[in-house]
Amino acid sequence: MKNTEIFEESMLYMPGGVNSPVRAFGDIGINPPIIKSGKGSIIRDEDDKEYVDFVLAWGPLILGHCDDDVVEAIKNTAMSSLAFGAPTNLELEMSKFLCNNLENVDMVRMVNSGTEATMSAVKLARGYTKRDKIVKFAGCYHGHFDGFLVEAGSGVLTHGIPGSQGVPEDSIKNTLIGIYNDEEQIKELFSIYGSEIAAVIIEPVAGNMGAIKAEDNFMNTLRSLCDEYGSLLIFDEVMTGFRVDFNGAQSLFKVKPDLITYAKIIGGGLPCGAYGGKREVMEQLAPLGPVYQAGTMSGNPIVMSAGLATLNKLKSNLCYYNHINNIGNQLEEGLYSIAKEKGIPIVINRYGGMMTIFFTDNESVSRYEDVKKCDKDIFKKYFIHMIKHGIYLPPSQFESLFLSVKHSEKDIDRFLEAFKLL
Ligand SMILES: *Cc1c(COP(=O)(O)O)cnc(C)c1O
């Protein structure tokens, strides 16, 4: 079967033909290609068309598709260990790796997705502080947990408005909405609710409204407000962990988070998540403490081995991050120069291997409001043009594209050649 046939039949059996909404290209208005295989930086669809992939499974595949060492590790583990629901040495290896290599992680709990990691971290923070309210920022995405599915309404100091049907009012009444990079607003929020706030959760480099870094002063303010009011600061590094740098986005800031969530890269392409942080907080988790969180598949041997193969390879090849920065620069500079020639106003935000091209007249993009002003029609035209020319990108202005170790200068040239023809 070919792309169109498979997608049309998929729509009969899966809502929208997909298992996760963005895959349907809903905002773009074309059918998504059906992907059959991937190797290195290249993926191939059921029509046998090739693309240079800048989505990389939405971030995890920093080593590219089907990296030999990762595949080998999966095969080896699969020969003897699919699942036990019992402690394994692989879990110890993974936990030790994370605690020994990451700053501010004394202990970890493995889970199966980013959503699970963030919702569990928030529960732990609530259990630890014995408070209910959390602050999340408009434009940040932390997975599909009810309490996070809130958009900023106009009354940002009031309780949230559901961003999805099926989320009871009660599940979000304790979610306060902050404005990313707005110090005054967060101070105001704390001055009203401070003593009730269990935690502030933030993407230190946001990726889910396009790539935007938190400003240093803003982050310092978050830390001092959390200290003053006894709230925990949670970094959601599901996307940024091992991506913007080996030590993740936290390496870009002086402030220390109390808890950190991970997923994506740490699973090496398999379903995985983790949350960790201060020992004294983590020890509140069952079986040691009163906060209950569990998982039949958590710490699964195959997933641990894929993750460990990825992380160990990154650690012994820190030069990979230089390569990613070099091709990132090449892409960034090339795009700016072509866009200037063509008179297309753009702003590029790039942090290591994640970046977004914003189609906007603005000088910079540092807030959610700036992203909302971007030209969606040009984005759409650009996206459709690029995919036609074999460049596979995230289908939304509100996403980041990703670079891998396997992307070559030639891959970047292909991107730039295609962009020239826009
Ligand atoms: C992808 C992502 C999540 C959700 O992870 P899933 O594995 O899709 O549940 C949470 N937070 C951030 C920052 C993400 O990028």
Side-chain angles (χ1 to χ4, degrees), residues 20 23 57-58 60 112-118 140-145 148 201-208 235-240 261-264 271-273 354 399 402:
S20 193
R23 296 178 196 171
W58 298 89
N112 306 290
S113 69
T115 299
E116 246 191 282
T118 54
C140 284
Y141 178 70
H142 303 293
H144 62 82
F145 172 53
F148 294 141
I201 184 165
I202 184 168
E203 298 180 65
V205 172
N208 292 293
F235 278 8
D236 180 356
E237 293 234 41
V238 165
M239 185 183 287
T240 54
T261 59
Y262 293 95
K264 298 196 167 120
C272 187
M354 66 190 264
E399 301 283 357
F402 300 106

Side-chain angles (χ1 to χ4, degrees), residues 118 121-122 134-143 148 176 178-183 185-186 190 199-209 212-223 226 232-241 249-250 253 255-262 366:
T118 54
V122 160
I134 57 165
V135 177
K136 80 162 284 276
F137 295 93
C140 284
Y141 178 70
H142 303 293
F148 294 141
L176 302 166
I179 299 176
Y180 202 84
N181 281 337
D182 186 336
E183 285 180 68
Q185 189 259 352
I186 190 71
F190 264 88
V200 175
I201 184 165
I202 184 168
E203 298 180 65
V205 172
N208 292 293
M209 52 175 150
I212 297 180
K213 180 181 167 294
E215 285 156 7
D216 290 339
N217 287 342
F218 177 67
M219 199 58 101
N220 295 340
T221 301
L222 291 187
R223 184 67 270 177
C226 285
L232 299 187
L233 181 57
I234 306 173
F235 278 8
D236 180 356
E237 293 234 41
V238 165
M239 185 183 287
T240 54
Q250 62 167 330
F253 300 95
V255 306
K256 295 180 190 309
D258 301 295
L259 292 173
I260 316 182
T261 59
Y262 293 95
S366 62

